Amino acid sequence: MVADVIASGADTIVEVNSLADDAFGEQLRLVWELEPGRRVLPSSGLPEVTRDGFDKPAQLAAFLDAMRWSALTSADTRNLQAPFRSGADIKLYQLEPVWRSLSAPRVNQLLADDVGLGKTVEAGLVASELILRNRAKRVMIVCPAGLTTKWHDEMRKLFGLEFTIVNAQTYTDLRRERGNGANPFEVYRNTIVSLPWLRGPKAERLLFGELLRGAGEDTRPYFDLLILDEAHHIAPSAPKQRYAVDSQQTKTMRELAKHFTHRLFLSATPHNGYPESFTALLEILDPARFARGVAPSQQAQDEVVIRRLKSTITGSDGKPEFPERKVRDLRLEYAEDEIDVHRWFSEFTQARRSRRVKGRRGRAAADLVTLLLKKRLLSSPQAFANTYETYAGALPAAPAAASDEVPEFYDEVWDEEATLDDDELYDFEDEHLRRSASHQERLDPAEHELLSRINDWARKHLSAPDTKAARLLEYLGEVCKAGDDWTNERVVVFTEYRDTLHWLQDLLDSRGFGRDRVALLHGGMDIDEREQIRLAFQADPADHPVRVLLATDAAGEGIDLQNHCHRLVNYDIPFNPNKLEQRAGRIDRYGQRHSPEVYNFVPAPTAGDSAFLGEIEFLARVAAKVSQMQTDLGSVNPVLAEGLQRRLAGDTTVGDVETLAQQATARGKKAGEVKAAANVSEQVERLGEQYENSVDELHLHPERIRRVVDTALDLAHQMPLKPRPTVYGVPATEFDVPVMTGEWVRATKNLVAPFTPEGQEPHQRPVTFDPLVAQGRDDVVLAHLSHPLVDMSSRLLRAAADSDRVDLHRVTAVVGPDDLEDMFVAAYAKYTVTGGGSTQLHQEIMAVGGWLDARTGRFRRENLTRTGLILEAALDKGTEAGPGTKLRLSEHWPEVDRGLRDALARRTAERDESLQKKLEQRVAEEQERIRFAYRQFRASLEEAIHGRKTNEDELFGLAELELDQARRDEGHWAERLEQLEAESERELAAARDRYADPKGHRTPLAIVCVVPERDNR
């Protein structure tokens, strides 16, 4: 589209804006006289109709569908396309976030669904829809280190979106290729960054030191969409505080989020029970509605938070979609030597506590050392033995000085640990063990003797099972074996540590569980290796011998294991209860056909009542409670985690698990916990109607998608799809894709089965165009709109609109019913409306038509409703008209051309007028939403400021750090209150500018002639 023409001496400078669906709004300046093959096209030139220039009806229908699927824009709030551009097995409830995003000026959402409900799919749908509508061009995903590859894989596999993982290696490789000035966040549009790397000096320099330096409040954000996974990690934590204090992670993300237009946060546990912490998270998500420490209005919170529980999801029959989870105990009868170890460690803990260096730092160091050593001992003898030398070698030669100055890492260690993969976790804990040891006294002879005895015991069991390992072996034998034969049952065993993982593998191998029966998943594996193991474990047991999967937490995050496994064993219990729910979510998720069973190790009643055994039982009860609670674990987790850590550090005053859970639940209700939606069935019903409306209006039926592919393959001179045999009379739903040539080889990408059973050759899977056929299957590929096969086909057909290199005339003649009064001729055109900054506001495929009088040759216009009905029936069911009909149309074409162009001009004028009113209404609606949100926010701020002034006592007794944070918050409230008026005016102006000066552009597409059967020749 020509935007401007500028005479410059002897040259003519032409500025053009792209109207292509995948490059909309991109600008280009060119010198007209230097362009080869330049020519001025008529503004509304219809395809030329000649006697021999006709296409088959199915070809033209496919062309029009391909054009229709690209006609989605920012102002359309009715139809979705992202669900039809995804290979995910999408459930209707997952459409709620993307449906809300259609009408939101800015997309700010906290997806707080239960683990296993598919928040990754929900986020991918929102991202895909925003990209399709040209509302997002630069997307960044921030997540824990162990999830970067998972996000990369799923965005590519499920949505056809390519992302680049930005880390130290990416940074080095890019600068080697493009020079030292290359910035990965500038070069790559879609990026994935881990939380730990984002906090590092390289990320800080690349983002804040280079790319975003100098960006002000009035500057348009550089990035478009931020997806923050496990968002609770960046909220201020407060397990030992009354008033939550911002962590470095909180500050970093707050600064980064300013540079994004849209923000999507994901967390099954968003509220940790501390209002300041939760509202800090909400403020980072949407600073126009929320402020740290200010109680939000329920309406404002409901507009951004989406939370559903598994228990509320039902099928069409009203029955629960998710079987009820069961928690089981694996009882342990400890041997005498292990009871001795328990006693020795309790004595060591007590000795260390009694001799810890005075001051708060000494106490923090003693507690952390005790917890880390006990954590490793409770995992496995191997994990403890690997840690013993690290600790013993790090103790200082001289007593550490007493101090009340506690390094920040003591308060943040458990939150930071939750973001690490198993590689980083081991190094992280060892480093903190060394740092804490340097703040302690050296071991006295008695302490050294106790620790040495425990280490001797551990080393003795490096090749022999302890009681827990023996019980695991017994349980696996009961489930996975029947005598000498293997059953088809599978079990996944989770542990935090990779050394425990390998130790268990060796034990299983020595007890008859050969390497083909046991698979490992850990953070050190590459993407392909992990995916092969996942596919093997998900495959039918008849196709692969693996029966036991040993996995670390980092490797297990985000991996689906529910196809043929419903049993999970927690070999050790993480000190962060959130990890327990993440583990359970691997098998307790959509598609699970049995009740998930979660097993924890618990001392038998006859095992005694030592303090150490009490702590083991306490851990198991925490795990059981987490598995059974139907509430926001975010508010429960800090209370249980703090109680767990204090109990295992030797504090005997900690209450029982039930009491802690009740305290946590009460705190969550008082602090305003995130409530789950109670009307999920109503949501699903509404979303189902919208989904079906989108299918009908956009012609997204399986047979139409197949028609596009068939047509494109024929035009590209490729072999056709081969239908797979079906029962007699039943239309084929699966198709083999032939060998492709040239650039079409890309269309077969990822069709080869990712997993091949032993003894079989790799094979190419068939495709289907029907989501119901692909549902729950790995042996067939869903050819959705973004699948390479369909995408390449659609692009080829769309290219015919402005290129003569595609063998389509864009004209067809069809035989219709005899109730037509005469020959009916129609024209299709693409109508695009752009606004401020070349924003694409609207796009549609319009059709106008009329009658060609057989006697006079004059053209008479028909109304739009009947035009649509005639064309729909003709292109769906009509057969190709004869040569006489084509000749008649070509002879009368000048008159028809004038009539159709006049009809298109009138229709365009009508749409200009109606869309102008619609866009004005949309501006008014958006501006009213903005005004209402700011009015709500102002009221909340004023209430918070007044409440603090009249109730200063609420800050009494806070530690200095907490009091400083509270005072900073007060200052921030006052500052925000002053900013609101100017900020709201900027938002109102931005909404107005988006829709300012709308301009319509019409691109003629096709001609369809429908002749009554009686007149067909």
Side-chain angles (χ1 to χ4, degrees):
M1 177 189 73
V2 176
D4 200 4
V5 178
I6 306 165
S8 178
D11 297 328
T12 306
I13 306 299
V14 181
E15 292 184 354
V16 292
N17 291 335
S18 172
L19 293 179
D21 54 287
D22 54 354
F24 192 91
E26 293 186 5
Q27 295 183 330
L28 182 67
R29 299 188 76 193
L30 51 89
V31 178
W32 178 254
E33 288 77 11
L34 299 181
E35 289 297 313
R38 61 191 179 275
R39 60 191 175 115
V40 178
L41 299 175
S43 60
S44 60
L46 292 166
E48 187 177 357
V49 177
T50 64
R51 179 175 180 175
D52 300 319
F54 284 78
D55 304 311
K56 294 178 181 178
Q59 289 180 315
L60 193 71
F63 165 74
L64 290 170
D65 278 338
M67 296 302 302
R68 189 176 286 112
W69 298 336
S70 70
L72 261 186
T73 49
S74 58
D76 179 11
T77 61
R78 298 169 303 160
N79 296 310
L80 294 167
Q81 260 213 35
F84 312 103
R85 293 181 177 273
S86 170
D89 184 5
I90 295 171
K91 305 305 165 191
L92 288 175
Y93 68 83
Q94 294 173 328
L95 299 179
E96 179 69 11
V98 69
W99 179 80
R100 290 196 193 186
S101 73
L102 295 185
S103 58
R106 294 177 184 265
V107 179
N108 298 309
Q109 295 179 4
L110 173 56
L111 306 186
D113 283 340
D114 239 347
V115 173
L117 287 185
K119 290 185 290 297
T120 304
V121 170
E122 292 171 354
L125 288 169
V126 173
S128 183
E129 196 76 37
L130 291 179
I131 291 170
L132 286 167
R133 292 168 182 269
N134 296 293
R135 295 179 64 190
K137 292 186 178 179
R138 287 190 177 272
V139 182
M140 181 188 292
I141 298 172
V142 179
C143 60
L147 296 181
T148 55
T149 53
K150 174 243 186 185
W151 273 99
H152 177 273
D153 294 352
E154 298 212 346
M155 289 300 99
R156 171 190 283 173
K157 182 174 68 174
L158 299 182
F159 299 98
L161 298 175
E162 289 295 333
F163 279 78
T164 300
I165 298 174
V166 177
N167 52 29
Q169 190 60 52
T170 312
Y171 172 77
T172 302
D173 292 346
L174 181 65
R175 296 211 163 185
R176 185 184 301 118
E177 293 171 8
R178 302 202 181 191
N180 290 334
N183 189 317
F185 296 104
E186 190 173 19
V187 172
Y188 305 115
R189 282 191 172 187
N190 298 333
T191 55
I192 300 174
V193 190
S194 75
L195 272 169
W197 198 79
L198 188 65
R199 292 195 307 269
K202 283 184 180 177
E204 184 175 351
R205 179 164 59 81
L206 290 169
L207 287 167
F208 306 117
E210 296 179 10
L211 194 64
L212 306 175
R213 184 174 55 190
E217 292 179 352
D218 298 331
T219 308
R220 186 188 183 282
Y222 182 81
F223 296 101
D224 297 303
L225 173 62
L226 169 65
I227 299 175
L228 176 61
D229 195 13
E230 304 294 344
H232 52 273
H233 290 316
I234 65 116
S237 61
K240 297 180 176 66
Q241 302 163 351
R242 278 178 47 202
Y243 197 93
V245 177
D246 284 350
S247 65
Q248 187 56 48
Q249 206 155 241
T250 308
K251 297 171 186 174
T252 299
M253 191 54 63
R254 181 183 290 124
E255 184 59 32
L256 179 64
K258 294 176 184 177
H259 302 282
F260 289 82
T261 303
H262 312 289
R263 301 162 197 176
L264 204 58
F265 288 7
L266 284 62
S267 174
T269 55
H271 200 316
N272 64 6
Y274 293 85
E276 304 84 21
S277 184
F278 181 56
T279 51
L281 182 66
L282 289 178
E283 182 181 24
I284 298 171
L285 175 71
D286 191 347
R289 293 177 187 268
F290 308 104
R292 184 199 147 99
V294 176
S297 72
Q298 190 60 51
Q299 183 174 351
Q301 185 171 316
D302 289 345
E303 286 189 8
V304 301
V305 178
I306 299 174
R307 177 165 174 78
R308 282 78 58 91
L309 299 177
K310 291 193 188 86
S311 58
T312 64
I313 308 296
T314 57
S316 56
D317 57 1
K319 294 181 180 179
E321 289 273 12
F322 294 87
E324 184 180 358
R325 187 189 304 175
K326 298 176 181 177
V327 182
R328 313 282 197 199
D329 291 341
L330 290 174
R331 294 287 180 176
L332 301 177
E333 294 278 1
Y334 287 105
E336 285 297 323
D337 62 340
E338 286 180 77
I339 293 174
D340 289 339
V341 167
H342 299 164
R343 187 180 74 253
W344 296 335
F345 199 93
S346 295
E347 291 174 5
F348 172 78
T349 300
Q350 292 166 6
R352 284 275 86 186
R353 285 177 68 85
S354 65
R355 295 185 63 246
R356 62 190 177 190
V357 175
K358 295 185 183 301
R360 293 178 60 239
R361 188 178 69 180
R363 291 195 296 273
D367 287 348
L368 184 56
V369 165
T370 298
L371 287 171
L372 291 176
L373 288 174
K374 189 173 291 186
K375 200 162 174 269
R376 300 285 180 89
L377 180 60
L378 289 172
S379 181
S380 71
Q382 182 77 62
F384 182 85
N386 290 351
T387 303
Y388 171 77
E389 295 297 336
T390 299
Y391 174 63
L395 288 163
S403 174
D404 283 327
E405 294 293 325
V406 181
E408 197 174 82
F409 75 83
Y410 281 114
D411 287 329
E412 298 182 2
V413 59
W414 302 112
D415 289 321
E416 190 166 350
E417 183 178 279
T419 70
L420 305 175
D421 64 25
D422 45 55
D423 251 347
E424 296 167 322
L425 175 65
Y426 195 89
D427 294 338
F428 177 83
E429 288 191 351
D430 272 6
E431 173 61 22
H432 282 70
L433 196 63
R434 282 190 287 267
R435 292 172 71 179
S436 299
S438 68
H439 297 154
Q440 289 194 301
E441 297 271 10
R442 284 197 63 80
L443 298 179
D444 67 17
E447 292 167 342
H448 192 278
E449 174 64 22
L450 288 169
L451 211 55
S452 294
R453 289 181 194 170
I454 299 171
N455 187 52
D456 290 343
W457 170 85
R459 293 201 164 279
K460 187 176 73 173
H461 284 277
L462 294 183
S463 57
D466 60 359
T467 299
K468 186 170 67 167
R471 182 68 185 93
L472 176 68
L473 290 166
E474 180 185 3
Y475 169 73
L476 294 177
E478 294 167 356
V479 171
C480 300
K481 298 186 78 171
D484 292 332
D485 298 323
W486 293 92
T487 68
N488 284 336
E489 301 298 323
R490 285 181 171 145
V491 180
V492 58
V493 181
F494 271 106
T495 176
E496 283 198 281
Y497 298 114
R498 199 184 301 177
D499 39 14
T500 298
L501 198 77
H502 290 297
W503 178 71
L504 286 174
Q505 182 190 32
D506 291 340
L507 289 177
L508 286 166
D509 191 34
S510 67
R511 297 304 191 278
F513 284 78
R515 294 295 169 110
D516 61 335
R517 299 292 179 178
V518 180
L520 302 186
L521 270 180
H522 58 73
M525 294 174 151
D526 62 33
I527 297 171
D528 293 337
E529 190 178 6
R530 287 177 59 188
E531 179 65 4
Q532 284 300 311
I533 290 171
R534 184 194 73 82
L535 289 168
F537 199 73
Q538 286 280 74
D540 191 303
D543 291 333
H544 199 282
V546 66
R547 294 297 182 266
V548 179
L549 178 65
L550 304 176
T552 61
D553 290 302
E557 282 184 305
I559 289 182
D560 303 346
L561 302 172
Q562 78 280 16
N563 280 4
H564 300 280
C565 176
H566 65 279
R567 296 182 179 90
L568 181 150
V569 177
N570 288 313
Y571 194 75
D572 46 31
I573 308 296
F575 284 11
N576 183 337
N578 279 344
K579 286 188 176 182
L580 291 165
E581 187 59 22
Q582 287 288 344
R583 289 177 177 182
R586 300 313 100 219
I587 61 168
D588 188 0
R589 59 194 309 108
Y590 190 85
Q592 178 57 261
R593 296 182 291 272
H594 305 280
S595 291
E597 297 177 7
V598 178
Y599 290 82
N600 303 305
F601 292 97
V602 180
T606 57
D609 59 355
S610 71
F612 198 92
L613 289 176
E615 291 168 357
I616 296 174
E617 181 144 5
F618 186 87
L619 275 170
R621 296 305 164 220
V622 166
K625 176 56 65 177
V626 167
S627 291
Q628 294 166 336
M629 294 194 78
Q630 290 291 323
T631 186
D632 177 8
L633 281 177
S635 59
V636 175
N637 181 63
V639 179
L640 289 180
E642 181 192 3
L644 186 153
Q645 291 161 23
R646 284 173 49 207
R647 179 69 182 268
L648 269 69
D651 187 345
T652 57
T653 66
V654 177
D656 59 32
V657 173
E658 195 60 41
T659 301
L660 289 174
Q662 290 172 2
Q663 291 172 355
T665 303
R667 174 183 285 180
K669 290 178 180 178
K670 183 179 178 182
E673 66 179 351
V674 181
K675 296 179 181 178
N679 61 338
V680 179
S681 296
E682 294 175 16
Q683 279 184 12
V684 167
E685 184 177 354
R686 167 175 49 79
L687 293 167
E689 291 176 2
Q690 187 174 19
Y691 181 90
E692 292 302 327
N693 289 341
S694 297
V695 169
D696 292 338
E697 189 158 337
L698 297 173
H699 296 189
L700 289 163
H701 304 283
E703 63 274 12
R704 288 180 177 266
I705 301 174
R706 181 197 167 189
R707 183 170 65 188
V708 165
V709 173
D710 287 343
T711 302
L713 292 179
D714 181 50
L715 291 172
H717 307 293
Q718 301 291 328
M719 296 289 290
L721 301 177
K722 182 180 179 181
R724 287 208 164 183
T726 61
V727 178
Y728 179 74
V730 177
T733 58
E734 298 177 25
F735 305 87
D736 287 314
V737 179
V739 175
M740 299 286 190
T741 59
E743 65 177 4
W744 282 85
V745 171
R746 187 172 68 85
T748 63
K749 186 178 180 181
N750 298 327
L751 289 184
V752 174
F755 170 75
T756 304
E758 289 188 5
Q760 298 184 22
E761 292 295 321
H763 65 283
Q764 181 173 290
R765 294 171 292 174
V767 298
T768 182
F769 302 98
D770 190 340
L772 294 177
V773 173
Q775 196 172 65
R777 294 175 59 184
D778 285 331
D779 62 334
V780 66
V781 176
L782 176 63
H784 52 85
L785 294 189
S786 287
H787 186 278
L789 178 64
V790 182
D791 183 57
M792 290 186 70
S793 299
S794 298
R795 286 174 183 272
L796 175 70
L797 294 179
R798 291 200 302 269
D802 50 21
S803 171
D804 54 9
R805 287 176 293 181
V806 181
D807 190 17
L808 270 181
H809 303 92
R810 295 182 286 132
V811 180
T812 195
V814 188
V815 178
D818 273 338
D819 60 1
L820 298 178
E821 46 262 52
D822 214 325
M823 180 184 287
F824 183 82
V825 187
Y828 283 90
K830 181 170 71 171
Y831 174 64
T832 303
V833 177
T834 59
S838 296
T839 304
Q840 185 173 323
L841 299 177
H842 179 80
Q843 195 172 80
E844 66 180 63
I845 306 301
M846 61 168 56
V848 295
W851 305 96
L852 178 62
D853 190 292
R855 290 177 291 108
T856 66
R858 297 182 62 183
F859 180 81
R860 176 171 51 89
R861 187 181 176 191
E862 181 57 88
N863 69 61
L864 296 176
T865 302
R866 192 173 182 205
T867 293
L869 292 173
I870 293 172
L871 293 173
E872 188 78 17
L875 290 175
D876 269 356
K877 304 171 185 175
T879 58
E880 187 174 6
T885 297
K886 297 174 184 178
L887 177 62
R888 179 183 166 196
L889 178 62
S890 62
E891 288 175 344
H892 290 283
W893 177 242
E895 296 91 342
V896 175
D897 181 43
R898 283 193 297 271
L900 288 176
R901 280 193 287 151
D902 180 59
L904 279 173
R906 290 185 183 186
R907 178 58 181 155
T908 301
E910 292 169 359
R911 291 302 285 146
D912 282 343
E913 184 178 352
S914 63
L915 277 168
Q916 178 69 38
K917 293 177 181 178
K918 180 179 178 181
L919 293 174
E920 288 173 358
Q921 181 182 355
R922 181 71 192 271
V923 172
E925 290 172 354
E926 285 195 12
Q927 289 188 329
E928 181 51 37
R929 287 182 64 171
I930 291 167
R931 290 189 186 98
F932 182 74
Y934 274 100
R935 283 198 300 269
Q936 275 191 326
F937 188 28
R938 179 180 291 276
S940 297
L941 279 170
E942 289 173 344
E943 184 179 350
I945 292 171
H946 177 72
R948 182 62 58 84
K949 286 180 179 177
T950 57
N951 189 17
E952 278 281 339
D953 290 346
E954 69 182 30
L955 302 183
F956 180 76
L958 291 183
E960 184 179 352
L961 196 64
E962 298 170 62
L963 188 59
D964 288 345
Q965 180 69 64
R967 295 305 184 199
R968 283 197 300 275
D969 288 347
E970 291 174 13
H972 180 57
W973 301 344
E975 184 181 336
R976 291 295 290 128
L977 201 56
E978 290 180 4
Q979 295 169 343
L980 289 190
E981 185 172 352
E983 190 176 297
S984 63
E985 286 301 320
R986 283 198 301 272
E987 288 292 310
L988 292 170
R992 184 174 59 249
D993 292 345
R994 265 196 303 276
Y995 299 96
D997 192 24
K999 290 184 173 63
H1001 314 278
R1002 186 177 69 242
T1003 306
L1005 294 179
I1007 302 295
V1008 178
C1009 170
V1010 187
V1011 63
E1013 188 171 359
R1014 64 177 182 274
D1015 295 336
N1016 181 44
R1017 299 178 180 83

